[in-house]
Amino acid sequence: MQAKKRYLTLFSAGACLILLFCFGGIQVPLSRKGPSRRDDRSLAGYHPGARWRRFSASLQPFSPWEHDQSDSHNEHISPRQKRDANSGVYTGKRCRMESCFDFSLCQRNGFKVYVYPQQKGEKMSESYQNILSSIEGSMLYTPDPGQACLFVLSLDTLDRDQLSPQYVHNLKAKVQSLHLWNGGKNHIIFNLYSGTWPDYTEDLGFDIGLAMLAKASISTENFRPNFDVSIPLFSKDHPRTGGERGYLKHNTIPPYRKYMLVFKGKRYLTGIGSDTRNALYHVHNSEDVVLLTTCKHGKDWQKHKDARCDKDNAEYDKYDYREMLYNSTFCLVPRGRRLGSFRFLEALQAACVPVMLSNGWELPFSEIIDWNTAAVIGDERLLLQIPSTVRSIHQDKILSLRHQTQFLWEAYFNSVEKIVLTTLEIIQDRVVQHTSRSNLMWNSLPGGLFTLPQYSTYLGDFPFYYAKLGVKPYTKFTAIVHVVSPLVSQSQPVMKLLVVVAKSQYCAQVIVVWNCDKPLPAKHRWPVTSVPVIVIEGESKVISSRFLPYETIPTDAVLSLDEDTVLSTTEVDFAFTVWQSFPDRIVGYPARSHFWDSNKERWGYTSKWTNEYSMVLTGAAIYHKYYHYLYTTYLPASLKTMVDQMSNCEDILMNFLVSSVSKLPPIKVTQKKQYKETMMGQSSRASRWADPDHFAQRQTCMNKFASWFGTMPLVHSQMRLDPVLFKDQVSILRKKYRDIERL
């Protein structure tokens, strides 16, 4: 028995040795000669045929694709890995913010963006110039690379189709020669088109290293979550700033339009992207589902035309695309040669709910936008089910989807500037996570670009979310009185104003912004009131200092007043009561309006009493204190400098800002008719209203502001809010704001 066990043990050991020898586990020297050139690699630890890699040192911390790319290594990777390694898209495929971004650059000076200076002789498309201009005009821009957290190339990377006239050659060498490139770390590359006929791959044609991609038509397979940013495909005619508003003017109930589902575009007979569009004729019914394609495009389309081409072309020419777009409930957005399509933005603007039919497309700004609230996500493989699917959507849901298309279009997509700034703000939220915006901020009015997390991360600190939170703004206001004249008498209008405002039951405190050239008056010169009166010397004695976000403002509401404003306590109380129902708007007394002067082809300003208005001047108005923060941090220094130099137009600029954010007009409340023109100039020698150039300056301001905003944000209104029972033929004793009628 013992002998059998010994034989069995010897047999097992021999079998194991043979197996180890066969699989390279034992190296048997077959020659005593020195190593030949073919064997040099074994000296570096290489073991031919070894299934288990040997590491000469301990594992290093992960750093994407920084390991040796030698030929010996390539012998052990698959063809797909070899292709990926040579592709500009895949080089940093494992990159995430934690592994490929240097956060320390952002800790010194905050999130600042640097744009490389344009190199002489380098061509640049208009679209890319618009991108760079949008960055340079933003509050995130810095001209100093030493202060930058993020870097943007001045080399045009938008169109990487080698057949395009906008294609930039030798981009690899040009990028590598940049002294700040650093392997692409902390860089972002903008791209709209990649690849070329026939495959249209997502390769940019150069190694992007560790750079982030802000790319249109990017696939979910190549998209690196929490690193890349998917942007929409936009045309060269897309406006740089401003942009048109959405086309939804009013809703019909039920919310159905002439067509249920429409599409009009090219049909590709061969190559990538042809399958989906070639199958659309199966769903087209010429009634409420109108899906039109044409193969009449390209130089040699007739060589490839099929049996359906002539019929499709004839049907295609019968319909006007714009008419279809504006009169359809849903708009089909199928993929083209690339995953993205111009139809996407066109549908959003037209309030035509997009029906996405592009499998594998990472939708634009998917990191922050909940597209299920604004679009229908279809499947290319289930094309025949699309009509029945959209017909089954309830009309309440259609209304909700339609409204959300308009919000998203105006908040993030209607200009190059908004697309670029949204991209940068997404990255900033990643960098400064403790002050990042919430999902609600991004997906509800006014959008993430106007809710700055540096101000607060609590929704209740903004004027836009009270209804959603089920809360109301604080029931007190802070009065800010702007003073430019010296105190010479206790009978001055400003002294009376302080007493009147302090008597309001809603007044928490009064702040006097002293912008007079004379020294601050002694404390005993100010009237004695029931609320604190704080005197602050204006910063640099400029007019914009009245809109600084003073830490001494404890309330949500700010009552802004000029020194020679004449109001009663009743008027103040009523205005504040109205504002509590409209905390995101300016509510006040003196109204003005704008108009388009077709003869001079410019915007005009008028103080005439008409049936409509678009501004409420901040000489007597209430608004949320958050607008002080936006005025100070969001608006460019150029506009504020212009206002300060003229000592004029700051009220117009504030109205531009608030209307741009809220997309709504201000609210005028009841007042006595003669407000400023008769009183100012009589009571204040330093009054800017006495300046003969005052009105002309305000005309100029209107057009300067409209130019920067890229559009006219002011909205006309014909509504004035009066107290209930105002002027009614009932006893004055029954009226709450009875003093207003006596003014």
mmCIF file with all atom_site columns, all heavy atoms in Angstrom, residues 481-494:
data_model
loop_
_atom_site.group_PDB
_atom_site.id
_atom_site.type_symbol
_atom_site.label_atom_id
_atom_site.label_alt_id
_atom_site.label_comp_id
_atom_site.label_asym_id
_atom_site.label_entity_id
_atom_site.label_seq_id
_atom_site.pdbx_PDB_ins_code
_atom_site.Cartn_x
_atom_site.Cartn_y
_atom_site.Cartn_z
_atom_site.occupancy
_atom_site.B_iso_or_equiv
_atom_site.pdbx_formal_charge
_atom_site.auth_seq_id
_atom_site.auth_comp_id
_atom_site.auth_asym_id
_atom_site.auth_atom_id
_atom_site.pdbx_PDB_model_num
ATOM 1   N N   . VAL A 1 481 ? -31.456 104.289 1.259  1.00 0.00 ? 481 VAL A N   1
ATOM 2   C CA  . VAL A 1 481 ? -31.646 105.639 0.731  1.00 0.00 ? 481 VAL A CA  1
ATOM 3   C C   . VAL A 1 481 ? -30.315 106.140 0.177  1.00 0.00 ? 481 VAL A C   1
ATOM 4   O O   . VAL A 1 481 ? -29.308 106.187 0.891  1.00 0.00 ? 481 VAL A O   1
ATOM 5   C CB  . VAL A 1 481 ? -32.148 106.593 1.836  1.00 0.00 ? 481 VAL A CB  1
ATOM 6   C CG1 . VAL A 1 481 ? -32.433 107.977 1.237  1.00 0.00 ? 481 VAL A CG1 1
ATOM 7   C CG2 . VAL A 1 481 ? -33.400 106.034 2.503  1.00 0.00 ? 481 VAL A CG2 1
ATOM 8   N N   . HIS A 1 482 ? -30.338 106.496 -1.096 1.00 0.00 ? 482 HIS A N   1
ATOM 9   C CA  . HIS A 1 482 ? -29.118 106.974 -1.757 1.00 0.00 ? 482 HIS A CA  1
ATOM 10  C C   . HIS A 1 482 ? -29.047 108.495 -1.629 1.00 0.00 ? 482 HIS A C   1
ATOM 11  O O   . HIS A 1 482 ? -29.925 109.215 -2.112 1.00 0.00 ? 482 HIS A O   1
ATOM 12  C CB  . HIS A 1 482 ? -29.132 106.561 -3.229 1.00 0.00 ? 482 HIS A CB  1
ATOM 13  C CG  . HIS A 1 482 ? -27.910 106.954 -3.974 1.00 0.00 ? 482 HIS A CG  1
ATOM 14  N ND1 . HIS A 1 482 ? -27.940 107.715 -5.127 1.00 0.00 ? 482 HIS A ND1 1
ATOM 15  C CD2 . HIS A 1 482 ? -26.601 106.701 -3.728 1.00 0.00 ? 482 HIS A CD2 1
ATOM 16  C CE1 . HIS A 1 482 ? -26.709 107.896 -5.564 1.00 0.00 ? 482 HIS A CE1 1
ATOM 17  N NE2 . HIS A 1 482 ? -25.885 107.299 -4.739 1.00 0.00 ? 482 HIS A NE2 1
ATOM 18  N N   . VAL A 1 483 ? -27.998 108.999 -0.960 1.00 0.00 ? 483 VAL A N   1
ATOM 19  C CA  . VAL A 1 483 ? -27.873 110.432 -0.680 1.00 0.00 ? 483 VAL A CA  1
ATOM 20  C C   . VAL A 1 483 ? -26.636 110.990 -1.375 1.00 0.00 ? 483 VAL A C   1
ATOM 21  O O   . VAL A 1 483 ? -25.533 110.451 -1.217 1.00 0.00 ? 483 VAL A O   1
ATOM 22  C CB  . VAL A 1 483 ? -27.780 110.677 0.842  1.00 0.00 ? 483 VAL A CB  1
ATOM 23  C CG1 . VAL A 1 483 ? -27.610 112.169 1.123  1.00 0.00 ? 483 VAL A CG1 1
ATOM 24  C CG2 . VAL A 1 483 ? -29.023 110.150 1.545  1.00 0.00 ? 483 VAL A CG2 1
ATOM 25  N N   . VAL A 1 484 ? -26.830 112.070 -2.145 1.00 0.00 ? 484 VAL A N   1
ATOM 26  C CA  . VAL A 1 484 ? -25.715 112.725 -2.832 1.00 0.00 ? 484 VAL A CA  1
ATOM 27  C C   . VAL A 1 484 ? -25.592 114.192 -2.437 1.00 0.00 ? 484 VAL A C   1
ATOM 28  O O   . VAL A 1 484 ? -24.639 114.869 -2.840 1.00 0.00 ? 484 VAL A O   1
ATOM 29  C CB  . VAL A 1 484 ? -25.861 112.618 -4.367 1.00 0.00 ? 484 VAL A CB  1
ATOM 30  C CG1 . VAL A 1 484 ? -25.776 111.177 -4.813 1.00 0.00 ? 484 VAL A CG1 1
ATOM 31  C CG2 . VAL A 1 484 ? -27.166 113.261 -4.833 1.00 0.00 ? 484 VAL A CG2 1
ATOM 32  N N   . SER A 1 485 ? -26.546 114.714 -1.661 1.00 0.00 ? 485 SER A N   1
ATOM 33  C CA  . SER A 1 485 ? -26.539 116.134 -1.274 1.00 0.00 ? 485 SER A CA  1
ATOM 34  C C   . SER A 1 485 ? -26.180 116.275 0.202  1.00 0.00 ? 485 SER A C   1
ATOM 35  O O   . SER A 1 485 ? -26.556 115.429 1.020  1.00 0.00 ? 485 SER A O   1
ATOM 36  C CB  . SER A 1 485 ? -27.919 116.758 -1.520 1.00 0.00 ? 485 SER A CB  1
ATOM 37  O OG  . SER A 1 485 ? -28.318 116.603 -2.867 1.00 0.00 ? 485 SER A OG  1
ATOM 38  N N   . PRO A 1 486 ? -25.474 117.331 0.571  1.00 0.00 ? 486 PRO A N   1
ATOM 39  C CA  . PRO A 1 486 ? -25.126 117.542 1.989  1.00 0.00 ? 486 PRO A CA  1
ATOM 40  C C   . PRO A 1 486 ? -26.358 117.896 2.814  1.00 0.00 ? 486 PRO A C   1
ATOM 41  O O   . PRO A 1 486 ? -27.343 118.427 2.293  1.00 0.00 ? 486 PRO A O   1
ATOM 42  C CB  . PRO A 1 486 ? -24.139 118.709 1.930  1.00 0.00 ? 486 PRO A CB  1
ATOM 43  C CG  . PRO A 1 486 ? -24.490 119.441 0.671  1.00 0.00 ? 486 PRO A CG  1
ATOM 44  C CD  . PRO A 1 486 ? -24.941 118.405 -0.300 1.00 0.00 ? 486 PRO A CD  1
ATOM 45  N N   . LEU A 1 487 ? -26.302 117.572 4.092  1.00 0.00 ? 487 LEU A N   1
ATOM 46  C CA  . LEU A 1 487 ? -27.384 117.934 4.995  1.00 0.00 ? 487 LEU A CA  1
ATOM 47  C C   . LEU A 1 487 ? -27.200 119.379 5.444  1.00 0.00 ? 487 LEU A C   1
ATOM 48  O O   . LEU A 1 487 ? -26.206 119.720 6.094  1.00 0.00 ? 487 LEU A O   1
ATOM 49  C CB  . LEU A 1 487 ? -27.389 117.013 6.216  1.00 0.00 ? 487 LEU A CB  1
ATOM 50  C CG  . LEU A 1 487 ? -27.820 115.563 6.007  1.00 0.00 ? 487 LEU A CG  1
ATOM 51  C CD1 . LEU A 1 487 ? -27.868 114.846 7.349  1.00 0.00 ? 487 LEU A CD1 1
ATOM 52  C CD2 . LEU A 1 487 ? -29.161 115.484 5.313  1.00 0.00 ? 487 LEU A CD2 1
ATOM 53  N N   . VAL A 1 488 ? -28.154 120.232 5.078  1.00 0.00 ? 488 VAL A N   1
ATOM 54  C CA  . VAL A 1 488 ? -28.075 121.643 5.454  1.00 0.00 ? 488 VAL A CA  1
ATOM 55  C C   . VAL A 1 488 ? -29.280 122.084 6.262  1.00 0.00 ? 488 VAL A C   1
ATOM 56  O O   . VAL A 1 488 ? -29.253 123.146 6.899  1.00 0.00 ? 488 VAL A O   1
ATOM 57  C CB  . VAL A 1 488 ? -27.942 122.536 4.194  1.00 0.00 ? 488 VAL A CB  1
ATOM 58  C CG1 . VAL A 1 488 ? -26.632 122.253 3.489  1.00 0.00 ? 488 VAL A CG1 1
ATOM 59  C CG2 . VAL A 1 488 ? -29.114 122.311 3.248  1.00 0.00 ? 488 VAL A CG2 1
ATOM 60  N N   . SER A 1 489 ? -30.327 121.241 6.248  1.00 0.00 ? 489 SER A N   1
ATOM 61  C CA  . SER A 1 489 ? -31.540 121.638 6.951  1.00 0.00 ? 489 SER A CA  1
ATOM 62  C C   . SER A 1 489 ? -32.319 120.405 7.377  1.00 0.00 ? 489 SER A C   1
ATOM 63  O O   . SER A 1 489 ? -32.305 119.376 6.692  1.00 0.00 ? 489 SER A O   1
ATOM 64  C CB  . SER A 1 489 ? -32.405 122.521 6.043  1.00 0.00 ? 489 SER A CB  1
ATOM 65  O OG  . SER A 1 489 ? -33.687 122.702 6.593  1.00 0.00 ? 489 SER A OG  1
ATOM 66  N N   . GLN A 1 490 ? -33.033 120.534 8.495  1.00 0.00 ? 490 GLN A N   1
ATOM 67  C CA  . GLN A 1 490 ? -33.873 119.440 8.973  1.00 0.00 ? 490 GLN A CA  1
ATOM 68  C C   . GLN A 1 490 ? -35.147 119.307 8.139  1.00 0.00 ? 490 GLN A C   1
ATOM 69  O O   . GLN A 1 490 ? -35.874 118.333 8.281  1.00 0.00 ? 490 GLN A O   1
ATOM 70  C CB  . GLN A 1 490 ? -34.240 119.683 10.444 1.00 0.00 ? 490 GLN A CB  1
ATOM 71  C CG  . GLN A 1 490 ? -33.072 119.541 11.403 1.00 0.00 ? 490 GLN A CG  1
ATOM 72  C CD  . GLN A 1 490 ? -32.496 118.131 11.408 1.00 0.00 ? 490 GLN A CD  1
ATOM 73  O OE1 . GLN A 1 490 ? -33.231 117.159 11.463 1.00 0.00 ? 490 GLN A OE1 1
ATOM 74  N NE2 . GLN A 1 490 ? -31.171 118.035 11.342 1.00 0.00 ? 490 GLN A NE2 1
ATOM 75  N N   . SER A 1 491 ? -35.375 120.286 7.279  1.00 0.00 ? 491 SER A N   1
ATOM 76  C CA  . SER A 1 491 ? -36.578 120.236 6.437  1.00 0.00 ? 491 SER A CA  1
ATOM 77  C C   . SER A 1 491 ? -36.308 119.652 5.055  1.00 0.00 ? 491 SER A C   1
ATOM 78  O O   . SER A 1 491 ? -37.195 119.648 4.199  1.00 0.00 ? 491 SER A O   1
ATOM 79  C CB  . SER A 1 491 ? -37.160 121.650 6.293  1.00 0.00 ? 491 SER A CB  1
ATOM 80  O OG  . SER A 1 491 ? -36.218 122.511 5.643  1.00 0.00 ? 491 SER A OG  1
ATOM 81  N N   . GLN A 1 492 ? -35.105 119.177 4.829  1.00 0.00 ? 492 GLN A N   1
ATOM 82  C CA  . GLN A 1 492 ? -34.789 118.570 3.532  1.00 0.00 ? 492 GLN A CA  1
ATOM 83  C C   . GLN A 1 492 ? -35.662 117.341 3.295  1.00 0.00 ? 492 GLN A C   1
ATOM 84  O O   . GLN A 1 492 ? -36.037 116.635 4.240  1.00 0.00 ? 492 GLN A O   1
ATOM 85  C CB  . GLN A 1 492 ? -33.312 118.166 3.480  1.00 0.00 ? 492 GLN A CB  1
ATOM 86  C CG  . GLN A 1 492 ? -32.387 119.332 3.208  1.00 0.00 ? 492 GLN A CG  1
ATOM 87  C CD  . GLN A 1 492 ? -30.943 118.883 3.084  1.00 0.00 ? 492 GLN A CD  1
ATOM 88  O OE1 . GLN A 1 492 ? -30.092 119.365 3.820  1.00 0.00 ? 492 GLN A OE1 1
ATOM 89  N NE2 . GLN A 1 492 ? -30.666 117.967 2.177  1.00 0.00 ? 492 GLN A NE2 1
ATOM 90  N N   . PRO A 1 493 ? -35.975 117.049 2.022  1.00 0.00 ? 493 PRO A N   1
ATOM 91  C CA  . PRO A 1 493 ? -36.821 115.887 1.717  1.00 0.00 ? 493 PRO A CA  1
ATOM 92  C C   . PRO A 1 493 ? -36.283 114.574 2.281  1.00 0.00 ? 493 PRO A C   1
ATOM 93  O O   . PRO A 1 493 ? -37.054 113.713 2.696  1.00 0.00 ? 493 PRO A O   1
ATOM 94  C CB  . PRO A 1 493 ? -36.849 115.865 0.184  1.00 0.00 ? 493 PRO A CB  1
ATOM 95  C CG  . PRO A 1 493 ? -36.627 117.285 -0.209 1.00 0.00 ? 493 PRO A CG  1
ATOM 96  C CD  . PRO A 1 493 ? -35.696 117.852 0.821  1.00 0.00 ? 493 PRO A CD  1
ATOM 97  N N   . VAL A 1 494 ? -34.955 114.414 2.321  1.00 0.00 ? 494 VAL A N   1
ATOM 98  C CA  . VAL A 1 494 ? -34.402 113.155 2.793  1.00 0.00 ? 494 VAL A CA  1
ATOM 99  C C   . VAL A 1 494 ? -34.719 112.937 4.271  1.00 0.00 ? 494 VAL A C   1
ATOM 100 O O   . VAL A 1 494 ? -34.934 111.804 4.718  1.00 0.00 ? 494 VAL A O   1
ATOM 101 C CB  . VAL A 1 494 ? -32.874 113.087 2.537  1.00 0.00 ? 494 VAL A CB  1
ATOM 102 C CG1 . VAL A 1 494 ? -32.134 114.128 3.376  1.00 0.00 ? 494 VAL A CG1 1
ATOM 103 C CG2 . VAL A 1 494 ? -32.358 111.693 2.820  1.00 0.00 ? 494 VAL A CG2 1
#
